[in-house]
Amino acid sequence: MAEGTLCNKKPITTKEALKALMADRAGKKYYQEMNELEVDQKALAAALEKTCLARFRTWLEICAHCGMCADSCFFYLANDKDPTQVPSYKIQTTLKEMVRRKGKVDNAFMQMTMDTAWSKCTCCNRCALYCPFGIDMGVMFSYVRGLCFSQGFVPWEMKIGSGMHRIYRAQMDVDTEDWVDTVAFEAEGIDEEYPGMTIPVDKENADIMYTLNAREAKH
Ligand code: SF4
Ligand code: SF4
């Protein structure tokens, strides 16, 4: 893959690369370039061999296709019980197939897997509670996402989000200074209603740690 492309196997590490990616409206160029990505089958096979087989082989092999996990998945329910949205179907057609082919998969397969891993599973882990064996698609799809990312098959928004984490340490472009200012601003407002109340940041030995979605800080 040539240097300077928007869609490649490398993570975003510079502000320039991040800006270029964000300027690509709706990821139009990014997704066009994705069609040209070559799967590094050797690297994929090595990754599967190293971690996946040891961790997930049992789960992938013992699935009895009983379908008890189906109703636990809101994608299945929200899509008129579409059988392709059954948790076990989703993992069998992606990760298990990848393992079966020992990483020898093509671009179209990786794009299908990417779509499944991000658009058909939120990694909520709910199906694991319903499966008699405790097979957890959420855990496996988290891993599949990593595999896809390492090969450059990652949704445009997620590539931007991960780049923001690397560069700004927050996916909403909120840096530490902004965050501390925002907290101080909010604390002033709170003080009117609850005199003396403060919002400590990075307080050592605190009894409670409160974290929040970066979107709340941003907006
Ligand atoms: S409930 Fe478990 S064993 Fe049954 S189909 Fe789902 S994952 Fe497979
Ligand atoms: S982990 Fe994924 S497949 Fe399982 S219930 Fe949640 S969204 Fe559905």
Side-chain angles (χ1 to χ4, degrees):
M1 180 55 57
E3 293 289 330
T5 53
L6 295 177
C7 184
N8 52 52
K9 294 180 175 58
K10 294 180 198 153
I12 299 286
T13 53
T14 65
K15 287 183 184 174
E16 293 69 35
L18 185 58
K19 275 186 190 155
L21 194 57
M22 289 169 76
D24 178 31
R25 221 175 153 74
K28 200 170 168 222
K29 183 166 182 266
Y30 178 82
Y31 285 116
Q32 277 167 1
E33 288 179 3
M34 187 177 282
N35 292 330
E36 306 302 320
L37 266 184
E38 273 181 35
V39 182
D40 184 342
Q41 297 180 339
K42 220 170 153 187
L44 190 57
L48 289 167
E49 186 66 38
K50 194 170 166 199
T51 49
C52 174
L53 292 185
R55 280 186 186 178
F56 304 133
R57 176 178 257 169
T58 308
W59 273 351
L60 291 171
E61 288 184 356
I62 65 172
C63 173
H65 309 292
C66 66
M68 282 178 72
C69 52
D71 281 339
S72 68
C73 184
F74 60 91
F75 282 105
Y76 175 71
L77 298 179
N79 285 286
D80 297 325
K81 303 199 169 184
D82 176 356
T84 66
Q85 290 284 358
V86 174
S88 60
Y89 178 89
K90 289 184 272 197
I91 204 71
Q92 297 281 332
T93 50
T94 53
L95 183 59
K96 186 160 187 194
E97 191 57 14
M98 212 184 271
V99 170
R100 189 185 71 77
R101 295 197 215 167
K102 295 192 169 73
K104 290 198 178 98
V105 293
D106 59 13
N107 183 301
F109 179 92
M110 289 304 286
Q111 290 206 39
M112 179 278 291
T113 300
M114 173 186 85
D115 184 53
T116 308
W118 272 281
S119 307
K120 297 182 179 175
C121 179
T122 58
C123 304
C124 74
N125 311 101
R126 198 159 181 261
C127 47
L129 299 176
Y130 287 77
C131 173
F133 301 123
I135 298 173
D136 194 330
M137 311 308 159
V139 170
M140 286 195 275
F141 271 120
S142 301
Y143 175 77
V144 172
R145 287 179 180 189
L147 286 178
C148 288
F149 195 107
S150 71
Q151 293 283 335
F153 294 91
V154 54
W156 174 71
E157 295 91 338
M158 295 296 119
K159 186 94 177 194
I160 290 173
S162 64
M164 283 187 169
H165 272 291
R166 279 175 187 275
I167 295 164
Y168 301 112
R169 298 166 71 195
Q171 86 275 29
M172 298 296 288
D173 194 5
V174 180
D175 61 24
T176 305
E177 200 179 331
D178 269 357
W179 172 231
V180 172
D181 277 356
T182 304
V183 169
F185 176 77
E186 291 296 330
E188 279 174 28
I190 287 173
D191 198 47
E192 284 170 18
E193 224 173 316
Y194 303 99
M197 185 168 171
T198 59
I199 308 177
V201 177
D202 288 345
K203 181 177 177 173
E204 288 189 15
N205 302 317
D207 293 326
I208 295 169
M209 180 175 78
Y210 180 69
T211 63
L212 73 173
N213 188 310
R215 185 176 290 271
E216 293 171 30
K218 179 80 177 179
H219 297 293

